[in-house]
Amino acid sequence: MKVLDTFAGVRAAAGPRSVLVPTMGYLHDGHLALIAAGRDAGEPVVMSLFVNPLQFDEPSDLDRYPRDFDRDAGLAEATGVDILFAPSVEEMYPEAPLARVHVARITDTMEGVHRPGHFDGVATVVTKLLAGLRPAVAVFGRKDAQQLAVVRRVVVDLSLPVEITAVPTVREPDGLALSSRNVLLDAAARPRAVELSRALFAASDAAALGEKDASVLESSVRRTLEEAEIEVDYVSLVDAAMAEPIDVLDREAFLALAATVGGVRLIDNVFLWPDGAADRGTTLDGPSMIERS
Ligand code: AMP
């Protein structure tokens, strides 16, 4: 595996058919699933590792974001990454950026409301990665479903010549969606965090049995979280492409939530279709790497 820190260096090493897996590091099995999907999509696989200051609305969140370059490099190499792109902030932002990418409407709900400026930071850095590295394919997780919708729209609206591949959410054996932030959960919060997926799965069971009313699906999730005394930011059934609320499950949608458990803000979702189909993600057989390492 080559470790490179410039756009030009990656372009020269990767050629025109590369597959990009953008990450902020502190890798877990969810990232590894993206890398595996990347390998299926082509080669070389380029993984970017950059904690993007532009997408953090809270400076304290940026400060406490977990980082471990050596561990990430070892895991990336072991999983089949060919090129690790780890740019400095100066390589990514030689000047404080005056041009930023803003996606209207899709960013007006949920994370866009609770984290002002977050999606402009995401859309800008993803656009820079796609423009600067020119991959043929880029891989994103459904865990960040609204982000996925934003990225898909950037690619269409700005005519970026890249194919976007989406990977189902990878979960701990008890259902908790893997996240780099999970390491911040303390021993009391970790078992409570399972309520997020438990609530979403119960709603997805109801949808599979024919429940299509958004308010019924959302209320059932809220009730479960309130009973567990978990602080909820939002629970919303939204159109999968636009991330806008819908009243009835009459198209591809996702039921998304954000909640704070033990001081750690977590997001999760399940994708739902009107015919009762769902994508709840995939579950690890054993403990995740974070607990193993
Ligand atoms: P991050 O490092 O958190 O910015 O995430 C990098 C990529 O990994 C994004 O496309 C995320 O959607 C994806 N991702 C994060 N957690 C998971 C997960 N549990 N399952 C699948 N993909 C994930």
Side-chain angles (χ1 to χ4, degrees):
M1 183 179 77
K2 286 193 175 121
V3 180
L4 300 171
D5 60 6
T6 64
F7 283 103
V10 175
R11 278 201 306 275
R17 298 294 322 155
S18 68
V19 179
L20 175 66
V21 180
T23 81
M24 297 204 299
Y26 215 80
L27 300 185
H28 52 63
D29 290 87
H31 297 111
L32 303 196
L34 265 57
I35 295 168
R39 291 179 57 183
D40 290 344
E43 61 177 343
V45 173
V46 178
M47 187 187 95
S48 61
L49 194 177
F50 181 66
V51 181
N52 176 32
L54 214 60
Q55 73 187 65
F56 285 82
D57 46 317
E58 295 278 350
S60 62
D61 191 24
L62 174 61
D63 288 346
R64 74 171 187 161
Y65 200 83
R67 296 163 213 238
D68 188 339
F69 179 81
D70 292 342
R71 176 178 172 278
D72 285 345
L75 288 168
E77 178 154 39
T79 319
V81 169
D82 300 298
I83 299 170
L84 175 59
F85 175 48
S88 62
V89 173
E90 292 70 34
E91 173 71 7
M92 189 62 81
Y93 300 111
E95 313 246 19
L98 299 179
R100 297 199 187 196
V101 180
H102 174 72
V103 178
R105 284 180 56 181
I106 300 174
T107 64
D108 286 347
T109 58
M110 303 187 292
E111 293 302 288
V113 173
H114 287 269
R115 304 185 63 189
H118 168 67
F119 283 126
D120 288 4
V122 169
T124 302
V125 81
V126 169
T127 303
K128 287 169 70 73
L129 288 168
L130 296 177
L133 302 177
R134 299 176 207 156
V137 179
V139 186
F140 292 85
R142 281 191 160 162
K143 159 82 179 0
D144 298 278
Q146 191 173 9
Q147 167 175 289
L148 177 64
V150 167
V151 169
R152 285 193 189 281
R153 195 61 191 240
V154 166
V155 166
V156 170
D157 288 357
L158 302 183
S159 306
L160 301 180
V162 64
E163 181 193 322
I164 302 298
T165 295
V167 174
T169 298
V170 179
R171 299 179 179 281
E172 297 278 1
D174 69 358
L176 175 67
L178 295 183
S179 164
S180 305
R181 289 192 164 83
N182 291 355
V183 290
L184 303 173
L185 293 165
D186 65 21
R190 173 61 188 84
R192 295 178 61 224
V194 71
E195 298 297 337
L196 276 57
S197 54
R198 206 170 69 83
L200 289 171
F201 291 176
S204 125
D205 287 342
L209 291 173
E211 183 57 66
K212 291 195 167 27
D213 186 328
S215 62
V216 173
L217 296 169
E218 290 164 358
S219 307
S220 94
V221 173
R222 268 181 197 285
R223 215 169 25 250
T224 305
L225 297 180
E226 276 159 18
E227 279 164 15
E229 293 177 5
I230 288 172
E231 192 191 321
V232 178
D233 274 355
Y234 60 80
V235 177
S236 194
L237 183 73
V238 298
D239 175 281
M242 289 306 297
E244 289 177 331
I246 54 177
D247 295 332
V248 179
L249 178 57
D250 57 1
R251 64 196 99 164
E252 182 180 356
F254 59 89
L255 181 59
L257 64 80
T260 301
V261 188
V264 183
R265 188 172 183 280
L266 301 172
I267 60 170
D268 199 354
N269 69 74
V270 288
F271 276 71
L272 301 173
W273 285 265
D275 65 357
D279 176 4
R280 306 171 172 210
T282 58
T283 305
L284 295 172
D285 302 335
S288 72
M289 282 184 327
I290 289 172
E291 285 164 47
R292 271 181 265 142
S293 62

